[in-house]
Amino acid sequence: MAKKFIDVMDTTFRDGFQSVFGGRVLMNDFFPAVEAAKTAGITHYEFGGGARFQSLYFYLREDAFEMMDKFRKIVGPDANLQTLSRGVNTVMLETGSKELIDLHAKLFKKHGTTTIRNFDALNDVENLKYSGERIAHHGLKHEVVVTMMDLPPGCHGAHTVDFYEKTLREILDSGIPYSSICFKDASGTSNPQKVFDTIKMARGLVPEGTHLRLHTHETAGVSVSAYMAALEAGIDGIDMAAAPVSGGTSQPDILTMLHATKGMNYDLGGLEIDKILTYEKELQYCLSDYFMPPEATMVSPIIPFSPMPGGALTANTQMMRDNDILDKFPEVIAAMQEVVKKGGYGTSVTPVSQFYFQQALNNVMQGPWKAIAPGYGRMVLGYFGKTPVAPDPEIVKIASEKLNLVPTTDNALDLANADYSKSLENWINKLKEEELEITEENIFIAAACQEKGIAFLKGEGELNVRKISEMKTDCEGSSNMGNGNYTVVVDGQKFSVQVAEGDANIQVTAVNGESATASAPAAPATASGDEVSIKALLPGSVWKLVANPGQSVQEGDVLLILESMKMEIDVVATRSGVVKSINVATNDKVVEGQVVAVIG
C-alpha cells in the first residue's frame, strides 16, 4: 500500500528566523540557503508575513516586498509560498480598516504569495470573515486557522476540544472561503492527547478531502509527540524547520521528523535525508555569524504554565538584553500566568502574546496592575474582538481607568473603519507631508509600521542585526565613538553620558538623578525646593516629546513617550507645575531611573 503523502511546509525563512533571531536576518545572507532548499526538493515555504514583515523595516533597513519578489525568483513560479496574517490585524499589531485589509491581500498577491495562513488570536470568527474574503478575492489560497494552546493550571473555560469544535463549526457555518484549515499552536503547549482528539474531531466534521494541517513549536518539548499524534489522527500537513533554526523555540527539525516516522506509513513531502543534510549545512554556513541566544535552543518546562510563543520569546529576551533587564525574564514569565488568567484566555500568539508579555513586564517592573499595557488594556476592553471568556471585571475596570476608554462589544472591524487614522487617505496625506512617493506599497508600509515605516521610507531606518563579528568589535572597543547618549558604569554606579564632537557642552547625569559633572547642565537633576525630577521607569528610547520647557502641565499630563519592549510608555507629570526642562531628545536611549524632565 502506498504511503500517505504529508505536505511539509519549511518554516525556516519565516517562523524559524522569527523564533531564533527575532526575525533579524538579512536577505542576502540567507538567499543561498533558499537555493539549497530548492535543490533539496522543498516546494512549500513560509517566506513572509507575521512579525517578519515589520522586523525588516524596524531593524534591517530592508523592504519586505522586495525580499518576497527575490525569494519568488529563486524558487520559481510553481513553489507554494505562504505568509502569515492576523485576521483584522493582517501584519500589523493594531486592527486595520477594510481598506488596509484589502490592500494587504492585494499586495501580497502582487509580490509572489500563493497562500495566506490567516488566524485570530482570540478565535473570534468575526475577525476572520472579511480578511478571508479579501484573500480569496485576490486569487490567493486562504488557510483559515483555529489557534491552540494549553491553559495554565487552574484555568478553565476555553482551549478544550469542545472549544475548538465550537470555533471550527462557526468557521464552517460562516461561509468564509478557505482552501485548507490549520490548527496553530504558537507556544507548543497543547498536549499530544488533546491534539489527537482535536484532529480526530475536525476530520469527522469537515467535508471529505479537506486539507488539515498542524503547526506547533518545540518550546515546551512535546512538538514531535504532538505531530505523531496528529499524523495518527489523520492530518494532511505539518510544518518543520531546518537546523540551526529548528527545535528549541522553533519547529521540529526536518531530519528529526524523518527519523521519527521511519518505518511508518507516511511520506513526508518526498524529502530525502542526504539532500536535507546538504541544505542544512548551507544554512548553517549562511547563519554562522548571527548571534544565537541560548534560550532559542532550549526546551522550557515552565512554558506550559505561562504559554509564550517561540517567536515572541526570543524577540522579547533579545529586547531585554538590549535594555539590560534580562535578569527580570524569569519573573516576567512567572507573572504571565496571572495575566493570561485575568485577560480572557486569548491564545498566546501575536499580537496577544505580546500583550501578555508587556503586561507581565509592567507588573514586574512597576508593581502588579499599577500600569496597563495599551494592547492588553484594549484587548480586555473589547477593542480587538471577543475574548474566549470574559476578562476579570476588576482588570477591565483598571484598564478602563488607566486608558480612559470604555469597554465595547462593537465589532473590531467596524471600530477600525470608523478610525480616520486607519484610512488610506490619512496615510496618503502623511506620505505627502514627508514628500514621499505615493505608491500602494509605501501606503501599506507606513500604515503597518507607522513612524518606523516613515523613517524607513526616508532612509532613516534603524539597522540592528546581532552578528558575532560585530559584537566582538564592540567588545574590543573603538577609537571612534559615535555621537549620542551612552550609559557607563563607574564604581558600580550607572551614569547617562552625552557624547558629541568638538567643544559642545555635554552633561553627565547619574541615573539616580544626582549630577555628576556638567559644564552647562540643562536642568537640575534632583528635586530641590519646589522642583521635582521625572525619571524613566523602564529602559528604552525616546519615541516622542509631548511637552516643552516653559509649558504648564497638570498632574498626570504626558510629558514624553518612551518606546520599550514594543510598548509605548507615557512619562507623566507627577504634580502640577511648569516644565523646567526636558532632559532628552527624540531617539535618545534612556536607562531605568534616568531623569528625563524636571517640573517646578
Side-chain angles (χ1 to χ4, degrees), residues 234-548:
I235 206 75
D236 300 303
I238 56 177
D239 299 349
M240 298 183 284
V245 294
S246 56
T249 52
S250 183
Q251 280 70 59
D253 193 88
I254 299 171
L255 292 172
T256 301
M257 286 305 302
L258 287 173
H259 180 69
T261 55
K262 278 181 181 177
M264 303 183 75
N265 195 36
Y266 305 112
D267 173 5
L268 299 190
L271 301 179
E272 300 175 19
I273 290 175
D274 58 337
K275 293 181 179 180
I276 298 300
L277 282 167
T278 301
Y279 158 39
E280 292 198 350
K281 184 178 180 180
E282 178 64 29
L283 181 65
Q284 180 79 50
Y285 177 78
C286 290
L287 301 177
S288 59
D289 195 27
Y290 281 82
F291 170 69
M292 182 172 292
E295 61 274 11
T297 64
M298 297 177 183
V299 166
S300 173
I302 66 169
I303 289 299
F305 307 101
S306 300
M308 170 55 64
L313 191 151
T314 47
N316 287 324
T317 55
Q318 290 286 53
M319 285 189 288
M320 294 183 88
R321 277 191 180 89
D322 292 345
N323 288 288
D324 198 27
I325 55 171
L326 186 59
D327 60 304
K328 300 291 185 182
F329 181 69
E331 295 177 62
V332 176
I333 286 294
M336 269 191 64
Q337 183 167 342
E338 180 185 24
V339 170
V340 173
K341 187 173 183 178
K342 294 188 174 183
Y345 300 161
T347 314
S348 193
V349 60
T350 306
V352 170
S353 57
Q354 200 63 19
F355 300 161
Y356 286 154
F357 187 85
Q358 291 167 349
Q359 188 56 52
L361 181 68
N362 276 350
N363 287 358
V364 168
M365 302 295 291
Q366 302 185 52
W369 309 108
K370 297 295 183 183
I372 296 294
Y376 185 85
R378 289 171 63 83
M379 178 185 71
V380 300
L381 292 171
Y383 286 85
F384 287 93
K386 185 179 180 181
T387 54
V389 301
D392 183 275
E394 183 60 27
I395 300 305
V396 172
K397 179 182 177 183
I398 294 171
S400 181
E401 293 171 351
K402 295 285 187 182
L403 301 183
N404 195 28
L405 282 173
V406 297
T408 183
T409 57
D410 290 346
N411 184 288
L413 183 57
D414 292 339
L415 291 170
N417 274 330
D419 186 344
Y420 177 76
S421 70
K422 298 177 180 180
S423 67
L424 294 185
E425 181 182 17
N426 173 62
W427 290 105
I428 290 171
N429 288 336
K430 287 187 180 296
L431 292 176
K432 289 179 179 177
E433 290 170 10
E434 299 290 345
E435 298 182 344
L436 292 167
E437 184 181 3
I438 310 299
T439 66
E440 289 183 323
E441 285 82 356
N442 285 359
I443 294 167
F444 192 79
I445 291 166
C449 303
Q450 301 190 19
E451 285 75 13
K452 289 189 176 182
I454 295 290
F456 166 81
L457 294 173
K458 293 171 67 177
E460 300 170 358
E462 178 184 4
L463 181 62
N464 190 345
V465 182
R466 300 180 181 94
K467 290 194 174 184
I468 298 167
S469 57
E470 295 170 5
M471 294 167 71
K472 287 179 179 177
T473 302
D474 291 343
C475 292
E476 291 165 359
S478 169
S479 59
N480 298 315
M481 200 172 193
N483 295 343
N485 280 14
Y486 294 83
T487 300
V488 298
V489 178
V490 180
D491 293 332
Q493 185 178 6
K494 288 183 180 179
F495 293 86
S496 176
V497 183
Q498 281 188 335
V499 177
E501 294 180 2
D503 297 325
N505 289 330
I506 64 172
Q507 181 178 4
V508 182
T509 305
V511 171
N512 64 10
E514 296 178 358
S515 180
T517 59
S519 57
T526 58
S528 61
D530 62 348
E531 292 183 347
V532 61
S533 296
I534 308 298
K535 301 178 182 180
L537 295 176
L538 288 171
S541 59
V542 179
W543 180 63
K544 181 185 291 186
L545 301 178
V546 178
N548 297 304

Side-chain angles (χ1 to χ4, degrees), residues 7-140:
D7 181 76
V8 170
M9 181 167 76
D10 183 352
T11 59
T12 297
F13 307 105
R14 209 293 302 174
D15 207 336
F17 285 173
Q18 179 62 34
S19 296
V20 175
F21 302 115
R24 305 186 195 187
V25 183
L26 296 163
M27 70 173 92
N28 288 332
D29 287 345
F30 74 80
F31 277 159
V34 178
E35 292 270 13
K38 177 186 177 184
T39 301
I42 294 172
T43 59
H44 188 179
Y45 303 83
E46 189 179 38
F47 83 130
R52 263 288 290 177
F53 183 82
Q54 289 179 320
S55 65
L56 272 68
Y57 302 104
F58 284 11
Y59 306 116
L60 303 183
R61 293 179 184 166
E62 291 187 343
D63 181 1
F65 294 121
E66 179 187 359
M67 183 278 294
M68 293 162 66
D69 290 340
K70 290 182 175 180
F71 199 114
R72 170 58 78 185
K73 187 174 181 180
I74 292 171
V75 297
D78 298 328
N80 184 358
L81 295 187
Q82 188 158 320
T83 60
L84 188 66
S85 178
R86 312 178 190 116
V88 292
N89 294 72
T90 62
V91 291
M92 303 177 281
L93 291 177
E94 258 290 351
T95 54
S97 64
K98 284 188 173 182
E99 292 177 323
L100 291 175
I101 291 170
D102 179 75
L103 186 57
H104 161 260
K106 180 180 181 181
L107 289 176
F108 275 56
K109 170 65 175 180
K110 176 182 176 181
H111 292 282
T113 304
T114 310
T115 304
I116 293 183
R117 176 177 287 173
N118 187 37
F119 73 91
D120 179 64
L122 302 181
N123 278 315
D124 185 342
V125 176
E126 288 297 317
N127 288 345
L128 297 172
K129 290 180 178 178
Y130 186 75
S131 55
E133 188 273 321
R134 299 320 291 168
I135 289 168
H137 172 81
H138 286 286
L140 292 149

Side-chain angles (χ1 to χ4, degrees), residues 193-244:
Q193 184 61 53
K194 186 175 76 172
V195 168
F196 176 85
D197 292 340
T198 299
I199 302 305
K200 269 290 189 185
M201 171 275 296
R203 181 54 70 204
L205 191 61
V206 299
E208 185 176 352
T210 300
H211 185 86
L212 297 181
R213 303 191 65 87
L214 178 67
H215 169 94
T216 191
H217 289 241
E218 178 60 5
T219 320
V222 296
S223 67
V224 175
S225 296
Y227 275 159
M228 298 302 285
L231 288 169
E232 185 180 351
I235 206 75
D236 300 303
I238 56 177
D239 299 349
M240 298 183 284

